[in-house]
Every structure is written in C-alpha cells, then in structure tokens.
Amino acid sequence: MRVRRLAMGAGGGGLLRAALLSALLLSFVRTSVAGTPFLEPSIPGTSGDAIVLGRDLDGDGDPDEVTINLEVIEVKEEVYPGKVVTFWVFAPEGKGMVSPARFPSPTIRVEEGDRIKIKLNNTHYFPHTIHPHGTIHPNAMDGVPDFTQEAVRPGDTFTYDFIAKNPGTHFYHCHVQPDVHVLMGLQGMFIIEPNRPNNIFRHLIVGAGEIKDLAKAQAERYDREYSLVYTDIDDRLNAIPTQYKDPRQIEKKMHREYDSTKRQPNIFMLNGRSFPYTLQDTLIKVKPNERVKLRILNAGARTISLHTHGHHPILTHVDGYPVPEAARITRDVFTITAAQRIDLELRTTADDYYSSGPGVWIMHDHTEQAVTNKGISPGGDITAIVYEDFIEPDGLPKVATSLKRFFDPKYYKGEVPVFDPSIFHSTLADYEKGWSKASQPEHQSHAKKSKPSSAEESSDGSRKDADPEVKTSLEEVLEGHKVVARSCDKPRGFRRIHIKGGAEFADEGQVFGFEPNKIQIGRCEEVEVVLDNKDPVRHALMIPGLNPMFMLEFRGAGVQTARFITPDEDITLEFHCHVPLHEEMGMDGVFIVGKGGEPKEEHVAAVGRVFEGVGKVILADSRKGEIVVDHKEIPGFMAAMIMGYPVKPPKLLQGVEPGQQIRFTIDANQQAIVKIRPLTFSGEGTVVSVDIRKGQIVVDHKEIPGFMAAMIMGYPVNPPKLLTALKAGQQIRFTIDAEQRAIVEITP
C-alpha cells in the first residue's frame, strides 16, 4: 500500500488533519529511511521494526529494500479440539510480552530484484539459522551451520542479505538439527513475486492462508491466491520442551535420545491446523468462473498425495520454476515430496473438465492416515473448496448433515462413538453396555473365530499347520458348511413361514437381523420360506448343514420364496445370511426340527468323503493356495454358489486362470480341493481354413499349455455359427472345452 503525504495547515483544521494522520499511521509500520513513502499494514503485536521498507531503487513505484526482523518464539496452540501442541516458530519481532507468533512461520513475500535483509534475532534457548531453500543467493547466505556460518547462538543475531532473483514459491527453515527444528515449526513459505511497476503488497502473512492483496503479476491472471503449508508432527517430540526446564536436559532428550528415524507422525496439518479447525483457518473460498492460484509447500517429512474433489487443477510451477506449457498436466492427485513446492491453477468454471461445478468439495492428502487426528477420522489436513453460495453465516461450509460433533474435544479423545448409536440399535447411554453378551448369541455361529496360526509349507508345496486345531478362514467356512442332516424323501406335511430380514430387525449391538430368528418346524415337512428383505441391499437365507443345501438370495427391497424339505429326525439347523459379515452382525437363527438336538454321528462321519464339483474359476492364488469358484451344486456337500476353497497342494493352481472351467475334487476331511482338471483351455493362432457347413476350423496355433503343443490343427466348433465372418489369415483367440474336444468361444 502507498500512503501519500498530507499537507499540514495551521489552526484547528491543521490539528484535525494531524490527529487523523496520527491515527492512520498507528496502523502501519514505520519506515527506516526518512522520506520514503512506503508503509506496510501493521501486524498486531509487532514492533515498529518488524518490517522496514526502504527506497524505490528502480523508480517503478514500489519499495526495493525490504528488511524483516524475525525472532524465535515457543508457542502453544490448539491444533484441533482439545489438542494443544508446542511449536517453535520464526515470528515478526514482537513488542513487550506480546507476539504475533503462530505456526507455521509467516509467509514471506518480496519482489524480484528486491534487496532483502532478514535479520534473525535469536530469542530462543537453542542455536538456529535460516536457510532460504530454493532461492538464488550467495553461499555465505545459505544458512547451513558449520558449512557457511556459525549457528546463531541464543541472544545473538545474523542478517541474511541478498537480492531476490528467481520468482516463484520457495521455502525457508532452520538448518540446525533439521530433523528436529524444522518439524518443531521453524519453517515457512518464501515467495518471490515477478517484478511489476507499482507492485504494492504485504510482505508477511502470519499463519499463511489466503493472500488477499495479490501482487501485480498474479492479479493479471488470477482472482484469488492461497499459500498452503502442509506438515506432519510426532507429538512425542513436540511435548519434550514442556516436560523439562533445564535446556541441557531438553537438548539431550530432543537431539540425542529422541530417534528421528523412529519418528511416528500422528498429527497432520494444513497451515498449522487440523480438521475441523482447517475449515475456520484455511477454507478455499471461490466463486464460479474464477482462476485461483494455490501455492503449496510440503514442509513435513513424508510424501503427500494431494487430492482435490470435484476439480482437476493444472500444475503450473514446480519448486518455483514454471512448467513449460506443453508439459503442464491436469489431474486430481498431485504427489509432493518433502520440501517440494508446486503451484496449481484451480479453475471454477463448471465445464465438466476442470470443475464439476459449485458446492462443497473437500481437499486432502490421500494418504489415509493423514486425514485423521491421532488415528480418529475425519481429521488431519482436510479442508474444502467452497463456493460462495455454500458458506454459512458463521463461515463454515454448508454440509448435508452437521459438523458440530467434530468441534467437541470428546470426539477426538475417543469418548463418543464415531457413528450414530442408532445404527447399532443402541443409545449413547447404553452404547457400552452388554457387549460381551451381545457378541455371544444363544446359538453358536457356524463361523467360529480362528486362533492365530503359524504355518509352514512342505517340500511338495502343501500347507502344514503347526497346530492341527488352527483353521484358515476358508477352512472355517467349509467347516461350518458340513452336512449334518438330509431332507427326507417324501414330505408328510406342508408349512409356510414368513421371515423378515434387514437392519430394522437387529438386536442392540447388532446391525442386521431376521425376525423371527428361532423357528419351530416339523419333521419331514415341506417348508416354503417367504423371505421379506426390507433393505435395498442383498441378503440371503442359507441352511448350510442341510443336504441338499437350501439358499434364497436376492437384492431388496422385496419378497421371494423358496422351498426345502426338513429331515425326518429331531435336530436343530442353523440358518444365516452368507453375505460377508452379515451373520456376524446379527443375521442368523435356528430352525428347530421336531424336538431339536445335535446332529447324529452318522451324518458327521459321512463328511469324511470326497465330492466332485464343476465350476468357473473366479480367482486363483497359488501363493496362498486358495481358489474361488462359481460352481454348480455339489450334491451332499455344497449348494451352487460362488465359494472359496483351500487347495492342497497349492501347486495344483499352476496354469489355472480366471474364467477357466474346471472339474475339481474336494476332500471333506481336509476341507480342501485336492484335484483340479481343467475343462477349458485358451489358445491363440492364425486361421488356416474355415468350414461353416461342417462346423470345423483349422488353426495354426501356439502351444496351449496343458492341452496341445504348437501346431496346425483342426477342431470342431460348437456352435458352428461362431465361424461366421472368420477368414483365413485372421488372428483369433479361442477357448477349447476339454470334454467336448471342441472350440466353444472365438474372439477375433
């Protein structure tokens, strides 16, 4: 800002003008050079020498001499509700006991060609320096202790004096014990603006954030500008200075006993605040059809992956230097390594390319722990790009529900649930009551919890458990699907049962449920199950121990029916929803057949047999020795379904590919597939001849592993219409059915 001199007249009018001028000057920092017309808007709590603007050396209407006096201050700040952290920061020289210090250290702004003097007044108890990272400067001004200067001792000063040469977004930080001092907060953004006439702007922005007075070069292209400093801390380090009084002890604890190689960052911040305070401190406010410059500095010790929801900014600068127009990229995730700076151009025109349109669009590091406050989400460096019509009177964004609970310290102390207790059919008062009872229903779930296992692989690749009682998750599932009863041959009666399923039928501490979940039925009855799925998601009702296995599955909301025949014996049959985790979350029950009871020994013993199945491979993992198959009914063992099975030995999976049809043998004792025979094989080659009338093709094909060597070979094609439009010389991929010995699929 430029303030013109006011003429002082005599008399009352002159006194009035003098009083007005005096009041005006109280809001500005004085200059150090008599007669210079440049004054800086004051920062509350700073001395008159915090920022001193000097002469206009090139005569273009703005100051070209800038002196900044910085101190080192220890501050305690609440970074998110209930969490106070100690930082060390560079701060404009204060006045009395007042200091404008806050984390991060202030954003410094100067103009290309300015003569800069940054005077470090070390008011701290440890030595420090300032390293102007990324700027062009003399070696003596590099701020590296022992190499280019002696570290500035407590009570001493050092002036960093150089010409600002390379415009761009840069970095400044302490270079004394940087693995500690930088992460304690001695870090900030350093901006060199391109030279323009009458380039008047603030030279310090405390705490970074919105830059309201754009420099001339930025105003030529942008409507708004933000300085965004990302960092992360291990709060164990930041707590040390508050635990000891003797600086020798603090030195030992911070620089010798604290091992920065074992650092565990647990607080992630944007401009010194974590969510939800980021929404109060650094909200990216925009209007439609704007261009916004985002200057981004990663001042932390980890790589961040910055993601902008609803927008695809343009990368314009890296480490202060412009990216050539032809090399500029547009994306929604930007990788920024430690100490790196990038400039992004955010466009807010709803063009379905750069922007999705107005709203509240969050912006955050997509490293998931970085959006937590010590492991509780949401937190970390989340902020939002918010359009002006989506800002509440209190300055917070308009959201679909409410942000109120995130401003309660109890939330981040883990004293209140993350989710609404009603989801679990509970209340806040009763939330932690009866957990052990709720987790152990009357009837034992078929999916037993496994114990930790240690396993090794034998020379033939098969898995050997150190503890024979320990089961893998797939083995547990198969264990729970053992046949324990068989339907009688000729039912003697009929019964229709209405069962409702969904979230509204869950007991306290559960999410889903069946109603009823304890059902009395007769022996040797035909039972029609009318399943009313009240939820819009998929649910199922399965009786895993019955042969043939009963299953009714569909996506609701809606009603479907199916029938099964009960055994001619007194037995209790479990039923459950087999959608993953639905059973564990309460969706199970029992059919009491006759008087109920445990299964008979002959049924349990009958499990010790082998069963044959046919199906399509969905997934094969030879390392884990597991396969997922979409198979037909396996009589006496399993209903038709998509199911995972252990494979012993795992080497059986060599050459097995997703999409392949296989025939397999299950050993019920081992609860594993012990033999696999491919029913289909894939090949590729060149068509030699085609005979649609005979339904035959001759192909010069490569080796078909497990089926045929590379050769020219004729094959039947079923159906023959697959040969339509094929011509000699054409490259094709094909599938052979091993049992038909015919090609059943052709892809040109």
Side-chain angles (χ1 to χ4, degrees), residues 445-447 574 576-577 579-588:
S445 165
H446 84 276
E574 298 174 4
H576 66 266
C577 176
V579 175
L581 294 180
H582 285 201
E583 178 188 4
E584 289 83 347
M585 292 295 106
M587 213 163 189
D588 58 359

Side-chain angles (χ1 to χ4, degrees), residues 557-573:
V559 178
Q560 289 194 18
T561 63
R563 297 186 181 190
F564 68 93
I565 299 174
T566 64
D568 193 7
E569 60 181 286
D570 296 325
I571 189 171
T572 300
L573 296 174

Side-chain angles (χ1 to χ4, degrees), residues 179 182-183 187 230-233 263 265 298-303 337-339:
D179 63 316
V182 174
L183 298 171
Q187 52 172 260
Y230 287 83
T231 194
D232 53 88
I233 64 169
R263 178 176 179 267
N298 180 6
R302 30 181 296 284
T303 297
T337 59

